[in-house]
Amino acid sequence: MNSDCIESMLNTELLINSISEGLCIFSASRDCPDLELNAWNRQMEIITGYALEDMNKNGFDSLFLTKYEKTVEQYLTNFLLDETETKLSKEYFIISKDGKTKILSANVSKMPMKNGNTGAIALVRDITETKYIQQELMEYKERYRKMLEFSTDAVFIHNNGIIVYANPSAVKLLEASSEEDLIGKDMMKFIAPDCYELIYERMKLTQACYSSLPVIEEKFLSMKGKTVYVEVAATNIPINGVKNNLVFARNISYRKSIEKVLREREAMLSRVTENTLDLIAICDSQGIVTYATPSHFNVLGYTAEELIGTRPNILIHSDELNFVENSFEKMKKLHQITKIQCRLKCKNGNYKNVEICGKPLYDKELFQGYVLSSRDITDRIGTEEALRKSEKKYRKLFNNVNDSIYLYRFDENGLPGEFIEVNDIACKRLGYKREELLNMNVREFNPFITENDGKSISEKLMTTGQEMHEAINRTKDGSYIPVEVNSILVEVDNEQYILSISRDITERKESERALKHSEERYRMLIESLPFGVYIRTRERILFSNKTGLEYLGISSMEEACGRMFSSIVRPHDDYKENYEKTMAFVAEYQYLLPTEEKYIRISDNKVLDIETVATKWNYDYTDDAYLVVIRDISDRRKAEELERSMEEKSKQLNEVFEYEKMRTEFFANISHELRTPVNVIFSTIQLLNFSIDRMNINNLAPDKFKKHMDTMKQNCYRLIRLINNLIDATRIDYGYLDLNLSNSDIVNVIEDITLSVASYIEDKDIALIFDTDTEEKIMAFDTDKIERIMLNLISNAVKFTESGGTIYVNICDRENSVIISVRDTGIGISEEKQKLIFERFVQVDKSLTRRREGSGIGLSLVKSLVEMHNGTISVKSTTGRGSEFIIKLPVFLVEEKEINTEARKLSAQANIEKIDIEFSDIY
Ligand code: ADP
C-alpha cells in the first residue's frame, strides 16, 4: 500500500471517526450474497461495544436482539440487491456487548463501491435515552388521562369560567347526557346561587396565584335542577401556556345525608346514654375513665366529671378487687364480653350490688380500652332472695299441704312408672318411708284400678293434659282410704311428667253417704206427701211424686218422661183466660203464690180442681225448671158449692118468710078491709032496724033512708071490688084469667072511661083532662081489662091528689104501639117505694092510721093485666109533685066477628057499675 493510499485511508478513518454518529459501510454482490462489512467507526464501537474485528468475526448475529432482528443481515442484503430501493430508515433493538438493550436509529443510503458491488452507508444513532423519555411521557399522559377518565371525582377544566373539559364523573354529577352538554358552558350555571359569593372569592384568589386552593364544600346544581353537595378542590394549570382552572368536585350528598342520620343517631344515643339507668363508662387503654353517663350520679352519687380521669377500680369493694381485675385481664386477652357481679362504693360510703358488662375495644388488634356498662342489681338481688325464700316456702307448702303430691313419669308401656318426687303427706298417708315410696309406682297402692282403667286414665291425661278420678288407696298396713286424684301433665326440658294431687275424701264420702240417706228420707217424704210434687219445665215433667203421677193419670215416671204436658192435661174452659196470665206471671217472676187452677185430664176428661204453688228450681242444669206443688181442691170446691147453694136456699127461705110475713100482713089488712064495709053495712042495718023498731017505717025520712041505703051500697061495692080483685089475682096466679081480645078503637075506650069518671070527682075539685094525638086507633085488646086498668090508675090518682089538683089522661099513637099515661099532681111516691108498688100486697103507707083505704092489690093486678096484653107499665114520680103511670101496649089485630055495638052499649051501662065498684074507696 502506497503512502497516498495510506494517507487517504487514514484520512478516511479520521473522517469517519470524527463524526458524532455511528457509521458503518457494508456491501454485497450478486455472486456472493454474504454481507461484507467495509467500515465501522469508533462511534459504532462505542454504541455497540463491538470493534470491527469482532463484527467481522461474529457477523451481525450477536448484535440483534430478537430472531426477527437477527435476519437484519438478510434484510440489508435484500435492500442492497434491490435496485429500486435507495434509502432505508429504521430503528433497531440491539444488545450491546455489555448486555444492555439499546435502541438505534439507522439511516441507510446506497453507495457504489469501487469493485462495482453495491454498498451502503449507515448512519446510526443511539436513541435509547430519547426513546425511554418519550415512552415515559406517553405513559404519563395515558396515566393522567385514565386517572381523569376513571376518577370517581368530577373533574372540570375551565378557562375563565367556560368549561373546556369535563370527565365522565363530572357528566354524571351534573346529570348531563354527554361531555358535549357541558363543554363551552359557563361553570357558574352549575353553581347553587347561595354559593355564588363563595365562588367569586375563590375566583379572585385563583387569579392571584398558581397554588391550589383549600378544599371547600359547595353546592352544585345539576342540569335537572337537583342540588348536589360537593367537596371542591381547585388549582390553576397552564394549557398551551394559557392559565386554566382545574376543579375536582366530589359528590358528598350521600355523606351529608349519612352525616345527618348519624348526627341524629348520635343525639339519640347520647340521650339514651345520658338518660339510661345503666351506668355506662368508657375507659382508655390505660384504664382511665374518659366518658361516664350522668346516671352514675343517681346510682352512686358521683357526677360524670368526678369520674372522668379516674380509674374505675377505686370504686370496687376491696374484697372483690382481685377478682374484677382478673376478669378484666381475661376479657382483654380473650377479646370477649365479660359479665361480673361486684359491689361498688357509693359517694356516701355505702356499697351497691352491680352487674358489670365489660366490652374490650380494639382497633386492628390494638387494645383501645373498655366500655363498661353496669346495672344496679341491689333490687334484683333482693328479688332473687325473695324467690329463694318463696321456693323454700313452696317446698314447705309441698310437704305441708294436706294433699298427697306425686311426680312421676310414664313407663315404656305408657303406664305410670316410678316416682320422681313425693311429698311428706303422701308418705304419711300411705305409711311408707320416702325411700320406699320412691321405689314404687302408683299401681301398687291402687288395687282396684285395673290395667284397662289405668290405660284410659293415661290416655285421657295424654290427650287433654289433665284428668280426675276417684280411687281407693291401700296403705302399707292394709287399710283403705278413698281419694280423689287430680293429675296434670307437666313438661320440663322436653320431658313429660305427671303431677298427681291426691286428696283424702273419707269425710266427703261420709257426708255423701249421709246426704244420700237424707236424700232417701226426703224422697220417701215427698213420695208419701198427699200433694202432687213436680219438677217441670213449661213443656215437660222432669220429676213427679206418686201423688203427682196419680193426678195426671200416669202410672210411672218412665211413662211421664218425654211426654208433653199439653198431651196430659189441658186448661178447663173456665180457667183458659187465667191460665195464660198465670203462665206469664211465672215466666216473669219465676214463682207462683197459691193459685187455683182447673184442668181437664185428657185421658179420661176428669176435671182437676187444684191449687198450685211454684218456684224456680235448679234441676240437673235445666235452666227453666220449676218446683210445682199441687193440691186437690175438688172437696173444697164441693164445700164451696154447698155453701153457695145453702146461701141460695136460706135466701129463698128468707124470701118465703118474707112472703109469709107479707101474706100475714095482707090477711090482717084484708080482714080489716073486709070487716070495715061489713061493719058499716051491719051498723047501718042496725040503725035501720032501730028506726023500724022505734018508729013507723013511714016516719023514716026518705032522704035519710036513701043515705043509709047508699052507704050500704057503697060498702057492698067495696066488698065486691075487694073480692073481685082477690079472685082475679088468684086467677092470674093460677093462670085462669083469659084475655078476651077484640079489635076496637083504643082511643075511644080510654076517652069514654075517662069521661065517665069525671062526674065522680066533680065535688073533689080535681080536674080530669083527657088528650090524644090521634082520633082513632083500632087494635086488639080486652076492653074490660083495659077499663079495669084505667079505673084503677085514675082512682089511685084521685085518692092521692088533694083538691085543686089535676089528673091528665093521655093517649099517644106510636104506630106499632100506643102509650097511655095517667098523670096527677098529687103527693107522689118516693123513689124507694116506686120499686115496690107493683108487687102484690104492697101498700106504701102501712101505718094503721092510714089516711086512704086500699088493699095494696090494685097495682099488682094492673101490672098483670098490662103484661097479659104483652105491654109494660112504669112509674115516674117525685114526692110532693105528682106521679105518672105509663103503659105501653103493642099494636096488633085479631081475627074476629063483627063488632057488637049493642054489646058496647050494654057495656056502657055496665061501666057505671064498674066505676062505682072501682071508686068505692073514694068518699
Ligand atoms: P090499693 O088497692 O090499696 O090502692 P094499689 O096497689 O092500688 O093499692 O096501690 C098501692 C099503693 O101505691 C097505694 O097504697 C099507694 O100508697 C101507692 N099509690 C098508688 N097510686 C098512687 C098515686 N097516684 N099517688 C100516690 N101514691 C099512689
Side-chain angles (χ1 to χ4, degrees):
M1 184 183 299
N2 61 31
S3 62
D4 278 355
C5 210
I6 291 167
E7 199 179 339
S8 112
M9 263 178 68
L10 278 174
N11 282 344
T12 312
E13 211 177 299
L14 260 173
L15 196 73
I16 63 170
N17 282 330
S18 65
I19 56 173
S20 61
E21 293 180 324
L23 183 146
C24 67
I25 298 167
F26 48 86
S27 59
S29 71
R30 278 184 202 278
D31 311 327
C32 170
D34 284 347
L35 206 63
E36 185 190 338
L37 192 61
N38 304 99
W40 189 260
N41 75 348
R42 184 84 190 113
Q43 244 357 76
M44 280 307 280
E45 269 184 43
I46 292 167
I47 291 167
T48 65
Y50 293 104
L52 185 63
E53 302 82 64
D54 299 326
M55 291 302 288
N56 279 334
K57 206 156 77 191
N58 301 328
F60 279 95
D61 282 355
S62 60
L63 197 60
F64 290 101
L65 202 59
T66 63
K67 267 196 182 147
Y68 172 76
E69 301 290 358
K70 276 180 191 161
T71 62
V72 162
E73 207 170 336
Q74 187 58 48
Y75 183 74
L76 287 175
T77 310
N78 287 346
F79 168 70
L80 284 177
L81 296 181
D82 185 351
E83 279 163 14
T84 59
E85 295 284 348
T86 54
K87 274 185 194 306
L88 183 72
S89 257
K90 206 168 156 34
E91 286 175 2
Y92 303 97
F93 283 91
I94 61 148
I95 299 169
S96 63
K97 202 175 178 182
D98 57 8
K100 280 184 184 151
T101 303
K102 287 189 173 172
I103 304 164
L104 305 183
S105 141
N107 283 320
V108 186
S109 311
K110 278 188 183 161
M111 63 181 279
M113 298 297 282
K114 277 182 195 156
N115 53 10
N117 284 351
T118 310
I121 178 164
L123 285 171
V124 177
R125 199 185 300 155
D126 183 354
I127 58 164
T128 315
E129 202 92 325
T130 329
K131 267 284 166 190
Y132 278 135
I133 288 170
Q134 251 179 20
Q135 178 88 17
E136 217 166 307
L137 272 174
M138 284 296 288
E139 279 176 10
Y140 269 132
K141 199 178 149 198
E142 184 61 14
R143 201 178 303 153
Y144 283 121
R145 193 185 65 81
K146 279 219 168 115
M147 266 167 65
L148 288 181
E149 293 295 304
F150 291 98
S151 165
T152 51
D153 291 343
V155 180
F156 302 91
I157 297 172
H158 66 87
N159 184 344
N160 269 332
I162 303 301
I163 299 171
V164 293
Y165 171 80
N167 73 346
S169 292
V171 170
K172 199 171 145 204
L173 181 79
L174 295 182
E175 297 187 292
S177 50
S178 72
E179 207 181 314
E180 282 71 46
D181 273 356
L182 302 176
I183 288 173
K185 300 260 164 65
D186 187 350
M187 190 74 206
M188 288 310 278
K189 219 180 117 184
F190 303 108
I191 304 289
D194 54 343
C195 292
Y196 285 170
E197 216 163 300
L198 183 78
I199 301 296
Y200 290 137
E201 280 302 307
R202 275 169 77 84
M203 292 284 216
K204 269 189 234 159
L205 271 176
T206 333
Q207 301 298 322
C209 65
Y210 249 100
S211 60
S212 46
L213 296 174
V215 175
I216 57 156
E217 283 181 13
E218 282 177 28
K219 276 187 269 174
F220 279 7
L221 273 182
S222 80
M223 288 192 84
K224 291 182 182 164
K226 198 167 96 188
T227 305
V228 188
Y229 286 88
V230 284
E231 195 175 65
V232 177
T235 186
N236 286 328
I237 50 159
I239 297 177
N240 301 332
V242 182
K243 203 170 179 183
N244 276 279
N245 289 77
L246 176 67
V247 177
F248 282 85
R250 179 170 296 172
N251 188 345
I252 56 165
S253 296
Y254 176 68
R255 196 182 82 194
K256 278 272 170 192
S257 66
I258 289 283
E259 249 175 42
K260 194 172 156 230
V261 171
L262 282 176
R263 253 199 300 280
E264 279 169 7
R265 193 166 295 173
E266 193 199 342
M268 192 179 78
L269 277 174
S270 83
R271 257 205 316 278
V272 170
T273 49
E274 305 279 298
N275 292 309
T276 180
L277 280 179
D278 288 353
L279 315 172
I280 298 169
I282 300 173
C283 298
D284 64 11
S285 57
Q286 303 304 307
I288 305 283
V289 177
T290 56
Y291 170 81
T293 51
S295 51
H296 282 85
F297 179 75
N298 298 334
V299 180
L300 301 173
Y302 305 102
T303 62
E305 290 69 36
E306 279 175 308
L307 292 173
I308 290 169
T310 64
R311 282 174 188 281
N313 301 21
I314 55 165
L315 300 179
I316 291 160
H317 195 282
S318 56
D319 292 356
E320 288 148 6
L321 193 56
N322 262 342
F323 157 71
V324 174
E325 278 179 346
N326 287 342
S327 304
F328 277 29
E329 266 318 301
K330 214 164 107 191
M331 156 176 93
K332 189 172 148 186
K333 224 186 277 161
L334 298 177
H335 290 218
Q336 58 178 208
I337 294 171
T338 304
K339 243 186 198 175
I340 51 162
Q341 280 184 19
C342 67
R343 280 169 292 172
L344 291 185
K345 192 174 183 176
C346 301
K347 200 169 180 185
N348 63 10
N350 291 343
Y351 282 90
K352 282 221 165 142
N353 283 299
V354 290
E355 185 182 72
I356 302 179
C357 178
K359 183 179 185 242
L361 299 174
Y362 289 92
D363 186 11
K364 296 192 192 112
E365 294 295 308
L366 208 71
F367 178 67
Q368 297 287 312
Y370 316 94
V371 177
L372 301 176
S373 140
S374 320
R375 178 167 296 179
D376 183 358
I377 54 163
T378 317
D379 286 349
R380 197 177 82 192
I381 285 192
T383 316
E384 276 172 12
E385 186 62 25
L387 269 175
R388 258 196 301 280
K389 271 190 195 152
S390 117
E391 208 264 359
K392 231 171 163 178
K393 197 171 79 193
Y394 280 117
R395 180 148 288 279
K396 212 165 157 191
L397 210 68
F398 178 72
N399 280 320
N400 287 292
V401 284
N402 216 15
D403 295 333
S404 307
I405 305 177
Y406 309 95
L407 189 67
Y408 58 92
R409 253 189 291 243
F410 283 122
D411 68 9
E412 58 283 356
N413 301 319
L415 288 168
E418 279 179 4
F419 292 121
I420 290 154
E421 189 58 278
V422 292
N423 71 346
D424 292 351
I425 195 86
C427 306
K428 206 171 120 197
R429 197 162 279 163
L430 294 173
Y432 292 103
K433 287 204 186 85
R434 187 167 174 274
E435 300 69 48
E436 287 177 315
L437 205 52
L438 283 176
N439 281 321
M440 291 170 66
N441 69 46
V442 183
R443 284 170 287 162
E444 290 174 54
F445 52 82
N446 273 303
F448 303 111
I449 290 193
T450 64
E451 200 169 312
N452 273 346
D453 291 342
K455 270 194 182 134
S456 75
I457 290 172
S458 305
E459 224 171 81
K460 182 159 182 229
L461 196 50
M462 294 305 280
T463 49
T464 65
Q466 64 181 54
E467 197 278 331
M468 199 181 103
H469 66 268
E470 284 187 7
I472 294 175
N473 287 171
R474 185 168 54 204
T475 63
K476 194 177 179 183
D477 64 13
S479 57
Y480 293 97
I481 306 171
V483 289
E484 181 188 83
V485 186
N486 239 310
S487 305
I488 52 165
L489 209 59
V490 285
E491 207 178 275
V492 181
D493 294 338
N494 281 335
E495 272 229 58
Q496 283 189 328
Y497 299 91
I498 295 94
L499 182 74
S500 288
I501 299 172
S502 160
R503 174 164 297 177
D504 182 348
I505 52 169
T506 314
E507 264 177 43
R508 197 177 81 189
K509 282 277 152 193
E510 230 16 84
S511 65
E512 263 176 24
R513 216 186 341 269
L515 211 70
K516 218 163 148 190
H517 275 301
S518 109
E519 209 236 80
E520 254 157 38
R521 270 200 302 276
Y522 279 116
R523 187 172 288 279
M524 261 166 63
L525 191 74
I526 286 171
E527 284 305 331
S528 54
L529 273 179
F531 308 123
V533 178
Y534 306 104
I535 291 171
R536 59 169 285 196
T537 64
R538 196 186 156 122
E539 274 90 27
R540 289 171 199 284
I541 310 169
L542 306 174
F543 164 82
S544 168
N545 69 349
K546 225 168 78 203
T547 317
L549 289 175
E550 275 165 20
Y551 275 133
L552 301 178
I554 289 172
S555 55
S556 71
M557 205 41 227
E558 287 70 52
E559 198 190 318
C561 272
R563 275 187 66 180
M564 297 294 279
F565 230 89
S566 53
S567 74
I568 303 169
V569 293
R570 65 181 152 80
H572 190 279
D573 285 351
D574 296 350
Y575 178 57
K576 250 183 200 151
E577 205 185 313
N578 279 340
Y579 170 76
E580 286 308 327
K581 283 185 196 156
T582 310
M583 283 299 166
F585 182 90
V586 173
E588 186 171 353
Y589 298 104
Q590 308 194 333
Y591 71 86
L592 184 67
L593 292 176
T595 303
E596 289 183 8
E597 296 189 291
K598 199 168 185 178
Y599 289 94
I600 304 270
R601 190 158 69 196
I602 290 169
S603 60
D604 56 1
N605 277 333
K606 187 179 167 235
V607 176
L608 302 177
D609 268 314
I610 54 170
E611 186 182 64
T612 310
V613 282
T615 181
K616 181 117 181 141
W617 199 258
N618 276 338
Y619 183 81
D620 261 1
Y621 307 106
T622 312
D623 57 0
D624 59 342
Y626 286 85
L627 174 73
V628 180
V629 178
I630 66 159
R631 183 151 54 127
D632 185 353
I633 52 164
S634 44
D635 288 346
R636 193 163 89 190
R637 275 277 150 81
K638 274 181 206 149
E640 278 170 8
E641 205 90 315
L642 215 64
E643 210 175 310
R644 251 201 307 280
S645 81
M646 286 277 286
E647 260 171 34
E648 194 85 357
K649 289 225 168 89
S650 68
K651 204 174 142 201
Q652 275 172 10
L653 205 67
N654 276 344
E655 273 168 16
V656 171
F657 282 150
E658 197 65 23
Y659 189 73
E660 272 312 301
K661 211 173 121 202
M662 266 163 66
R663 271 167 85 97
T664 320
E665 272 173 19
F666 172 73
F667 281 112
N669 261 342
I670 214 82
S671 12
H672 175 79
E673 289 295 319
L674 283 170
R675 206 179 59 201
T676 311
V678 171
N679 274 347
V680 173
I681 294 166
F682 183 71
S683 54
T684 313
I685 289 172
Q686 270 189 327
L687 203 67
L688 276 177
N689 273 342
F690 180 74
S691 297
I692 290 166
D693 289 347
R694 294 274 306 270
M695 58 195 90
N696 192 328
I697 191 120
N698 296 327
N699 282 347
L700 190 70
D703 56 331
K704 265 198 178 168
F705 185 78
K706 175 96 166 83
K707 199 185 157 213
H708 290 315
M709 288 306 278
D710 281 349
T711 306
M712 278 198 284
K713 195 178 165 194
Q714 195 199 352
N715 281 284
C716 283
Y717 283 146
R718 274 179 75 183
L719 278 174
I720 293 165
R721 181 184 178 240
L722 192 61
I723 291 158
N724 279 351
N725 279 352
L726 277 173
I727 291 167
D728 285 348
T730 318
R731 275 187 183 163
I732 286 168
D733 281 354
Y734 290 97
Y736 295 145
L737 192 72
D738 287 331
L739 274 192
N740 186 16
L741 289 180
S742 62
N743 299 331
S744 296
D745 179 8
I746 185 92
V747 181
N748 189 17
V749 170
I750 302 294
E751 190 175 7
D752 279 357
I753 197 85
T754 309
L755 294 180
S756 47
V757 166
S759 58
Y760 283 84
I761 56 167
E762 262 167 10
D763 55 332
K764 291 206 169 283
D765 192 18
I766 292 170
L768 179 63
I769 298 168
F770 171 80
D771 194 15
T772 175
D773 67 349
T774 177
E775 287 302 310
E776 191 188 58
K777 183 79 181 177
I778 305 291
M779 56 187 269
F781 59 94
D782 183 329
T783 312
D784 278 349
K785 309 277 182 328
I786 292 295
E787 281 172 354
R788 286 275 294 278
I789 291 167
M790 290 311 289
L791 288 173
N792 209 307
L793 292 178
I794 297 169
S795 78
N796 273 349
V798 173
K799 246 192 267 178
F800 299 102
T801 303
E802 306 292 334
S803 61
T806 311
I807 297 166
Y808 302 88
V809 176
N810 287 342
I811 179 157
C812 174
D813 182 9
R814 292 272 170 90
E815 288 273 339
N816 294 324
S817 63
V818 288
I819 309 287
I820 302 157
S821 79
V822 177
R823 180 158 68 89
D824 62 55
T825 55
I827 61 165
I829 310 160
S830 69
E831 238 174 83
E832 200 186 315
K833 285 168 192 165
Q834 287 173 27
K835 292 174 202 155
L836 303 168
I837 51 170
F838 293 108
E839 277 175 39
R840 179 85 49 87
F841 314 131
V842 167
Q843 272 183 321
V844 172
D845 185 359
K846 281 181 185 164
S847 62
L848 283 172
T849 56
R850 286 184 301 156
R851 280 169 59 226
R852 288 164 183 92
E853 304 295 323
S855 59
I857 205 169
L859 280 179
S860 80
L861 200 64
V862 165
K863 189 175 180 236
S864 300
L865 293 173
V866 170
E867 283 171 357
M868 280 171 79
H869 280 87
N870 286 329
T872 56
I873 181 162
S874 59
V875 65
K876 277 189 206 163
S877 181
T878 317
T879 31
R881 299 188 67 177
S883 313
E884 183 179 15
F885 288 83
I886 303 148
I887 295 165
K888 186 179 175 190
L889 293 176
V891 172
F892 61 95
L893 293 170
V894 287
E895 270 183 40
E896 56 167 7
K897 349 88 219 187
E898 240 177 282
I899 300 169
N900 190 345
T901 45
E902 204 52 38
R904 276 293 310 144
K905 268 182 198 152
L906 271 176
S907 86
Q909 184 57 41
N911 263 357
I912 301 163
E913 187 98 327
K914 271 186 219 157
I915 301 165
D916 281 337
I917 293 169
E918 287 301 329
F919 277 65
S920 59
D921 276 351
I922 304 162
Y923 306 103

